[in-house]
């Protein structure tokens, strides 16, 4: 007897009970799991998992997800063991996304899955890698990491005999895309796949917003840890000043029992910074939902402006912090050296594979025949980790010494 569920098989009794509980818990503006059956390729339901839980499992078990471990966030992986990578960033975003979704009574599984998949399309060497591939592909359809993430989950992952990709639900795929109306999205067909007139559902808006909050928190943490910044450098940055005052008040309240090590104080500051943005996000979003008279998912889709947002005051202070990070961290000479090296490396690899496609692995030589040389090479480069790209570069360009 086949171990696979037959087409008529549905959820086992506890799965149905879970859906019934969800329907009693979710807010009327949330996306119910029962709506998640639409996939690119028809499949029987999984008897153990709801549709969005199944998507989450597929994302976490994908090769692209594991490769995030060795993709740069700000500091290249070799800089140290404690700096964020693209994977740890993703996990932090997923945790924040689930927290906010629960507080707003949204679909936690859908929100978390979008968060886990949102950076699958990032190339090696962080945003420098994306800028490089965008420039290299300017005359060949362009490049954008959200669209590339969709290529990965729709085409490039190969784990199933019956189809390419992960065959995720339409809701997760739309959440990854986030209605990016870019030339790349149109070139790849996604502008026609998703309704550009419909606003993103709240689960996608939450994943997008907490991604930015996570950046603020961990990039500041890593920059201080790396010595690119000293706490004194942040004097005058309003959010930092507020966080320092709150942390010092908390340490004073703890009395003589308080651990007053500088690294502990720093974590108290950063924790307040993260939690205060989340508190503001929840309060502002609830107020916006009430003011807009939202009572259904259809109301969300018709609303012309994002409903998940920080308050105007918090946004202003957040942007001031981000301008500071842009100037003092992302343009720091140590970061810029790694950026420059990654850009040169990717450009050389791209040209080498265009000049001689026989240098590509067999799988990608076949793929080039299906999608074209430039797009196939771009897919190969975008999937690389930092260390794999460096290894490929050494193998192609490093002159080996004789005996």
């Amino acid at each position: 007897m086949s171990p696979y569920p037959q087409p008529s098989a549905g959820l086992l009794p506890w799965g149905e009970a879970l859906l019934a509980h969800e329907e009693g818990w979710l807010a009327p503006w949330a996306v119910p799991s029962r709506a998640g059956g639409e996939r690119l390729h028809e499949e029987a339901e999984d008897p153990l998992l709801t549709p969005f839980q199944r998507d989450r499992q597929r994302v976490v078990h994908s090769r692209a997800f594991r490769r995030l471990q060795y993709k740069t966030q700000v500091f290249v992986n070799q800089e140290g063991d404690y700096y964020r990578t693209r994977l740890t960033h993703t996990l932090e975003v997923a945790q924040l996304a689930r927290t906010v979704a629960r507080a707003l009574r949204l679909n936690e599984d859908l929100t978390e899955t979008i968060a886990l998949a949102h950076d699958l399309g990032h190339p090696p060497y962080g945003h420098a890698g994306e800028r490089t591939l965008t420039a290299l592909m300017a005359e060949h359809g362009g490049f954008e990491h959200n669209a590339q993430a969709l290529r990965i989950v729709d085409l490039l992952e190969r784990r199933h005999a019956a189809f390419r990709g992960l065959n995720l639900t339409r809701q997760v795929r739309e959440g990854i895309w986030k209605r990016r109306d870019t030339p790349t999205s149109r070139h790849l067909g996604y502008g026609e796949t998703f309704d550009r007139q419909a606003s993103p559902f709240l689960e996608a808006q939450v994943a997008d917003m907490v991604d930015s909050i996570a950046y603020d928190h961990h990039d500041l943490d890593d920059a201080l840890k790396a010595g690119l910044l000293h706490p004194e450098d942040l004097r005058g940055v309003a959010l930092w000043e507020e966080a320092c005052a709150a942390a010092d008040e908390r340490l004073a309240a703890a009395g003589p029992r308080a651990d007053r090590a500088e690294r502990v104080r720093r974590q108290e500051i950063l924790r307040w910074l993260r939690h205060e943005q989340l508190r503001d996000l929840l309060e502002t979003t609830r107020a916006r939902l009430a003011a807009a008279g939202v009572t259904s998912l259809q109301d969300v889709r018709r609303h012309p402006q994002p409903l998940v947002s920080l308050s105007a005051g918090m946004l202003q202070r957040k942007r001031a912090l981000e301008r500071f990070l842009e100037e003092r961290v992302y343009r720091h000479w140590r970061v810029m050296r790694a950026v420059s090296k990654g850009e040169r490396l990717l450009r050389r690899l791209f040209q080498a594979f265009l000049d001689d496609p026989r240098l590509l692995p067999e799988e990608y030589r076949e793929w080039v025949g299906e999608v074209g040389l430039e797009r196939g090479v771009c897919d190969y480069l975008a999937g690389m980790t930092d260390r794999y790209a460096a290894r490929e570069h050494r193998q192609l360009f490093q002159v080996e010494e004789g005996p």
Side-chain angles (χ1 to χ4, degrees):
M1 186 172 181
S2 171
Y4 297 100
Q6 299 304 304
S8 60
L11 285 169
L12 293 172
W14 64 80
E16 289 293 343
L18 177 62
L19 289 181
H21 169 75
E22 177 188 275
E23 288 163 1
W25 162 252
L26 291 181
W29 46 76
V31 177
S33 291
R34 288 194 190 276
E38 185 180 340
R39 301 179 185 273
L40 292 174
H41 309 281
E42 186 175 348
E43 285 189 85
E45 291 183 5
D46 189 308
L48 303 179
L49 303 169
T50 64
F52 302 137
Q53 291 173 345
R54 189 183 198 181
D55 286 355
R56 179 179 60 201
Q57 178 172 285
R58 288 182 171 184
V59 168
V60 169
H61 285 273
S62 67
R63 292 188 306 167
F65 186 78
R66 293 194 297 276
R67 286 197 295 261
L68 295 176
Q69 180 177 3
Y70 293 103
K71 290 194 176 188
T72 289
Q73 182 64 28
V74 173
F75 300 95
V76 295
N77 185 261
Q78 294 86 348
E79 287 277 342
D81 293 339
Y82 295 103
Y83 301 123
R84 270 68 171 196
T85 65
R86 190 64 61 177
L87 177 61
T88 57
H89 162 71
T90 294
L91 295 176
E92 291 181 31
V93 173
Q95 182 268 322
L96 296 180
R98 192 162 192 119
T99 297
V100 173
R102 184 181 299 117
L104 294 173
R105 292 171 55 204
L106 302 177
N107 193 310
E108 294 178 43
D109 293 328
L110 173 58
T111 311
E112 183 183 23
T113 304
I114 294 169
L116 289 169
H118 83 283
D119 267 355
L120 293 180
H122 261 294
Y125 299 106
H127 292 291
E130 178 162 14
R131 287 193 300 270
T132 301
L133 289 185
T134 299
L136 292 171
M137 293 296 291
E139 303 301 320
H140 311 289
F143 179 85
E144 194 269 334
H145 79 268
N146 288 65
Q148 188 66 22
L150 283 173
R151 285 183 65 76
I152 288 169
V153 301
D154 287 352
L155 297 169
L156 298 175
E157 281 287 330
R158 300 186 66 178
R159 302 179 59 85
H160 301 274
F163 50 79
R164 295 189 72 110
L166 301 179
N167 201 29
L168 304 182
T169 58
R170 178 182 56 80
Q171 290 86 351
V172 169
R173 294 172 61 248
E174 182 180 346
I176 295 170
W177 183 58
K178 293 185 296 196
R179 292 180 63 250
R180 294 292 182 94
D181 186 17
T182 64
T184 301
S185 298
R186 290 196 296 272
H187 170 80
L188 298 175
Y190 294 119
E192 288 68 46
T193 299
F194 306 112
D195 183 0
R196 286 199 293 270
Q197 302 307 311
S199 292
F201 41 84
L202 294 179
E203 288 84 353
Q205 293 186 38
V206 166
D208 196 20
M209 193 69 233
V210 299
D211 181 28
S212 178
I213 292 174
Y215 267 112
D216 290 350
H217 171 263
H218 61 52
D219 287 357
L220 185 54
D221 188 16
D222 283 353
L224 289 165
K225 194 181 306 176
L228 271 65
L229 292 177
H230 187 275
E232 292 299 314
D233 298 332
L234 286 144
R235 285 190 178 276
V237 178
L239 261 182
W240 176 260
E241 298 277 10
E242 292 174 41
C244 287
D248 290 339
E249 183 178 331
R250 184 178 178 86
L251 288 169
R257 298 181 297 108
D259 185 341
R260 301 183 186 279
E262 184 56 35
R263 66 177 182 178
V264 173
R265 179 176 181 268
R266 186 176 74 227
Q267 289 308 313
E268 290 286 349
I269 293 169
L270 293 166
R271 185 179 300 111
W272 182 92
L273 183 67
R274 181 181 66 234
H275 286 181
E276 184 64 13
Q277 289 190 69
L278 290 180
R279 182 199 61 76
D280 184 275
L281 177 70
L282 288 169
E283 289 186 0
T284 304
T285 300
R286 289 190 179 112
R288 286 191 171 207
L289 289 168
V294 173
T295 60
S296 68
L297 178 58
Q298 290 69 33
D299 289 343
V300 172
R301 302 292 270 172
R302 286 193 292 262
H303 198 271
Q305 301 297 326
L307 291 160
V308 177
S309 178
L310 297 167
S311 65
M314 180 61 77
L315 276 174
Q316 183 179 17
R317 301 197 300 279
K318 182 178 187 299
R319 287 167 181 159
L321 173 61
E322 290 168 348
R323 287 193 296 271
F324 176 87
L325 291 172
E326 175 67 30
E327 184 63 32
R328 297 296 299 275
V329 176
Y330 308 141
R331 296 182 185 177
H332 192 281
W333 66 267
R334 283 170 54 188
V335 175
M336 292 304 296
R337 281 188 177 184
V339 164
S340 178
K341 178 180 177 181
E343 289 176 344
R344 291 195 307 273
L345 186 150
L346 287 176
R347 286 181 178 277
R348 290 190 75 186
L349 286 177
F350 186 82
Q351 193 59 53
F353 292 130
L354 289 191
D355 292 342
D356 190 353
R358 295 173 301 174
L359 300 175
L360 290 165
E362 182 179 357
E363 176 185 354
Y364 279 90
R365 290 200 301 272
E366 296 174 356
W367 186 235
V368 159
E370 295 186 42
V371 299
L373 179 57
E374 290 81 7
R375 181 60 59 188
V377 170
C378 180
D379 285 338
Y380 182 46
L381 294 180
M384 291 180 177
T385 63
D386 294 15
R387 65 179 186 177
Y388 183 82
R391 189 180 74 182
E392 284 285 85
H393 187 269
R394 285 195 303 271
Q395 290 179 345
L396 289 175
F397 297 106
Q398 183 172 308
V399 179
E400 297 185 4
E401 296 182 1

